[in-house]
Amino acid sequence: MNRRKMLKAGGAAFLALAPGVRLVDLAVAASKGGSTDHLVRWGMLVDATKCARGCTDCVDACNQEHGLYGKGRAETDAQYIRVVDLQDKATGKTSSLPVMCQHCETAPCVDVCPTGASFRRQDGVVLVDKHTCIGCRYCMLACPYKARSFIHENLTDQVPHTPRGKGTVESCNFCTHRVDRGGTPACVEACESKDHRALVFGDMNDPDSELSRQLKEKSTTQIRSDLNLNTGVRYHGV
Amino acid sequence: MYTRRQCLLIGIGLGLITISMASDKLTGSHRTIPGAVQGESCVGPVEVMRREHMTMLFHQRDRTMYAGQRDAEHSLTGCLSCHTRKNVRGEYIPVNAPGEFCEECHAYTALKMDCFECHAATPGNAVASTQ
């Protein structure tokens, strides 16, 4: 290790002590000539009025895209999207909706991460850098949405674009491998192709995007809006 | 006791043996690294690749993770597309299997690498096309 590398390593360690600050700095520094854009904020609208009870098309597409396969243990199997059934106790109205990483602006998982592995890209996508994740699972405790999974066992047959392995935490990454190349997340694509049209993905900062247009029209809410996390995933009809 | 002349002869003999062993190690003549299956040349000169490929990969890793830069030039999946061989049935052989490109060298240098605990060791993958 030469002196320059030492300085860098020292800098990273120091910066890690102030979580919020460090991550933004790193993302901006690394982005010179990059494809992430700080003017963009990726987001999603879930129109729960269009989610049929029992439909798992988005979950299935997600599992296939990322090569997630369960071991029949619901408690510990990795899942990026969960379908949650709700019933209003007073009125009896039921709804069914997918819940995944909400890509919060002030993400609790990022705040608590001791290594800086949990971070928010400058375009709003919250990720785990599995190369620096030590598997402590603080982020899983901090997340109000139960969005993250821990890998307990050795895995085989991972898909090339989603490396996954024992001892690290993972969650929905808004399919960055697709989005960075101009695509949409696999769940959104599946929902659209099955003609449900319950999921809309896009740039929340672009007033002309389909997402912004719908967010402007429809009344939407954030799950646990009381926490003021400014989530990137918004719900209609919950 | 050996005479001075005997000592000299033994010394020269030992020297020659050492040199021949060392040169064998240096040229690596007894190891064969499988050739690339695709492309005329690597993403850098061979001498540079031998010494610096890990630095390239670590750099690319951070560019992709933090800035979403997904150019294939120095990407791990990029390496695999040129360096993964197929067996007689046309199936990919994992690039970290014994005798395969990455492993042949790393076994020799006693390097243990965890990359392929997460990363697919072949460019394509069976799981993606099933279900």
Side-chain angles (χ1 to χ4, degrees), chain A residues 30 32-36 64 119 121 128-129 131 157-158 160 163-165 176-177 180, chain B residues 61 64-70 77 117-120 122-125 127-128 130-131:
Chain A
K32 286 198 187 95
S35 55
T36 57
Q64 184 177 338
F119 72 104
R121 278 194 346 179
V128 180
D129 181 352
H131 304 101
D157 291 332
Q158 292 90 328
R164 311 169 55 228
T176 44
H177 60 288
D180 289 342
Chain B
R61 174 190 69 190
T64 307
M65 279 309 313
Y66 295 101
Q69 293 171 327
R70 291 179 182 277
T77 33
E117 281 176 23
C118 290
H119 286 267
T122 54
N125 190 286
V127 171
T130 58
Q131 284 186 354

Side-chain angles (χ1 to χ4, degrees), chain B residues 62-100:
Chain B
D62 293 345
R63 292 177 68 225
T64 307
M65 279 309 313
Y66 295 101
Q69 293 171 327
R70 291 179 182 277
D71 42 312
E73 172 101 298
H74 290 163
S75 87
L76 187 53
T77 33
C79 315
L80 300 193
S81 62
C82 287
H83 285 293
T84 315
R85 295 197 293 180
K86 287 182 178 167
N87 65 16
V88 283
R89 273 162 299 163
E91 301 155 344
Y92 284 116
I93 314 171
V95 77
N96 62 339
E100 292 309 309

Side-chain angles (χ1 to χ4, degrees), chain A residues 15-26:
Chain A
L15 287 164
L17 295 175
V21 182
R22 175 196 169 281
L23 296 158
V24 174
D25 287 355
L26 193 56

Side-chain angles (χ1 to χ4, degrees), chain A residues 92-162:
Chain A
K93 179 184 177 289
T94 60
S95 46
S96 189
L97 50 137
V99 178
M100 66 292 278
C101 171
Q102 305 283 300
H103 299 280
C104 311
E105 185 186 2
T106 47
C109 56
V110 172
D111 281 346
V112 300
C113 181
T115 66
S118 245
F119 72 104
R120 187 170 177 269
R121 278 194 346 179
Q122 58 172 358
D123 58 5
V125 184
V126 175
L127 293 175
V128 180
D129 181 352
K130 294 181 199 171
H131 304 101
T132 32
C133 175
I134 54 170
C136 73
R137 288 163 269 177
Y138 283 176
C139 58
M140 293 177 68
L141 293 174
C143 177
Y145 305 102
K146 216 177 163 182
R148 288 198 163 169
S149 306
F150 179 73
I151 307 304
H152 293 265
E153 291 159 279
N154 284 322
L155 300 179
T156 51
D157 291 332
Q158 292 90 328
V159 293
H161 53 258
T162 307

Side-chain angles (χ1 to χ4, degrees), chain B residues 5-20:
Chain B
R5 203 194 155 115
Q6 274 171 323
C7 278
L8 196 69
L9 276 178
I10 292 170
I12 292 172
L14 281 177
L16 282 175
I17 291 168
T18 326
I19 288 169
S20 69

